[in-house]
Amino acid sequence: MLIRYLSQIGRYFLMLKEIFNKQTKWPVMKNLILKEIDDLIIDSLGIVCFISFFIGGVVAIQTALNLTNPLIPKYLIGFATRQSVILEFAPTFISVIMAGKMGSYITSSIGTMRVTEQIDALEVMGVNSLNYLVFPKIVALLMYPFVIGISMFLGIFGGWLACAYGGFSTSQDFIQGAQMEFIPFHITYAFIKTLIFAMLLATIPSFHGYYMKGGALEVGKASTISFVWTSVCIILFNYILTQLLLG
């Protein structure tokens, strides 16, 4: 079991090396990148906005309901909501969700090409199939911090609306808490995490799709396995990066 895992890890890093070899011609690559931006980034905005807005509201309401002591100032609701959304919810929680949405799409699309022998056809034509299939996804996901930035804004905005119009605190108290003791490095930390997660989101599902064997049933199994391993790696790297950058 250990040998198999080590073998898979070694194959993954060899795949990363091969992705950047023998680049596809730019006119072709440009169209591939634009297509991946549309499929991976633009198509994800709807679900990210919806989840971020309501989870921000839930975080604010739960914080307010737990601050029952009258001596605790209400502006702490805004402070706790901002910290929760910026540090953990937006970069990590959304990335785990995207591991399901983006990851399953990437694995199934590449896995289907493997099953239907389209990847073999690319190799026969002298095209570096890994560069052709995976590199555009990596470039497209460089825009992933833009998605997380929108998630941060909508999470805090949802918390503000929930508090102000739910009667849990005043608008002024929430905004005061959201502005209180703000540390700009927390934004930098969140975006550093986001870029690492974007690399994981692009490459781990691609690995499971590219190296799968079997038929249509195995494509579904590969999608499930890629989601599990992408989520595990995101949580693991989240711990490591938090320890390195904030510890």
Side-chain angles (χ1 to χ4, degrees):
M1 182 69 76
L2 178 62
I3 298 299
R4 186 164 67 87
Y5 283 143
L6 290 175
S7 172
Q8 291 289 84
I9 292 169
R11 180 186 274 188
Y12 171 76
F13 283 105
L14 288 173
M15 182 196 81
L16 292 183
K17 176 178 174 291
E18 187 63 29
I19 288 169
F20 298 97
N21 290 337
K22 197 180 175 186
Q23 295 286 323
T24 305
K25 291 180 181 178
W26 173 245
V28 176
M29 183 59 70
K30 181 180 70 173
N31 292 330
L32 291 171
I33 290 170
L34 291 174
K35 181 182 181 299
E36 296 298 348
I37 288 173
D38 185 51
D39 290 341
L40 299 178
I41 302 296
I42 306 300
D43 284 357
S44 299
L45 285 175
I47 186 69
V48 169
C49 292
F50 178 80
I51 292 172
S52 301
F53 181 81
F54 285 101
I55 292 293
V58 169
V59 169
I61 291 170
Q62 289 186 349
T63 304
L65 292 175
N66 282 286
L67 294 178
T68 53
N69 192 323
L71 298 177
I72 299 176
K74 292 292 184 183
Y75 62 71
L76 285 179
I77 299 170
F79 176 79
T81 302
R82 183 200 75 202
Q83 293 295 91
S84 300
V85 167
I86 290 177
L87 290 176
E88 278 309 309
F89 162 70
T92 308
F93 186 64
I94 290 295
S95 293
V96 171
I97 292 171
M98 288 300 105
K101 185 188 180 301
M102 289 183 189
S104 59
Y105 165 76
I106 292 170
T107 305
S108 60
S109 61
I110 296 178
T112 302
M113 290 184 73
R114 172 62 75 188
V115 168
T116 55
E117 299 181 350
Q118 294 178 56
I119 293 176
D120 297 330
L122 287 172
E123 295 287 350
V124 167
M125 291 188 292
V127 176
N128 180 355
S129 57
L130 279 170
N131 178 261
Y132 184 88
L133 295 172
V134 184
F135 185 74
K137 294 173 174 57
I138 294 173
V139 175
L141 280 167
L142 291 176
M143 292 186 66
Y144 187 55
F146 168 73
V147 176
I148 297 303
I150 293 175
S151 173
M152 289 177 184
F153 169 76
L154 286 175
I156 296 170
F157 181 66
W160 171 71
L161 280 181
C163 267
Y165 294 96
F168 296 101
S169 77
T170 64
S171 176
Q172 290 79 7
D173 281 343
F174 186 91
I175 293 171
Q176 179 189 351
Q179 295 174 337
M180 186 179 67
E181 295 182 17
F182 176 66
I183 301 172
F185 180 72
H186 285 171
I187 299 288
T188 306
Y189 155 78
F191 283 141
I192 290 171
K193 285 205 306 186
T194 300
L195 284 171
I196 301 295
F197 296 162
M199 186 69 178
L200 296 175
L201 285 168
T203 55
I204 295 176
S206 298
F207 172 80
H208 284 94
Y210 189 85
Y211 290 108
M212 63 148 290
K213 293 183 175 68
L217 180 63
E218 280 70 25
V219 173
K221 289 180 180 178
S223 297
T224 304
I225 293 169
S226 79
F227 167 67
V228 171
W229 280 109
T230 307
S231 301
V232 167
C233 289
I234 285 171
I235 299 301
L236 181 62
F237 273 86
N238 182 46
Y239 175 80
I240 293 168
L241 290 168
T242 302
Q243 186 69 37
L244 288 174
L245 298 173
L246 296 183

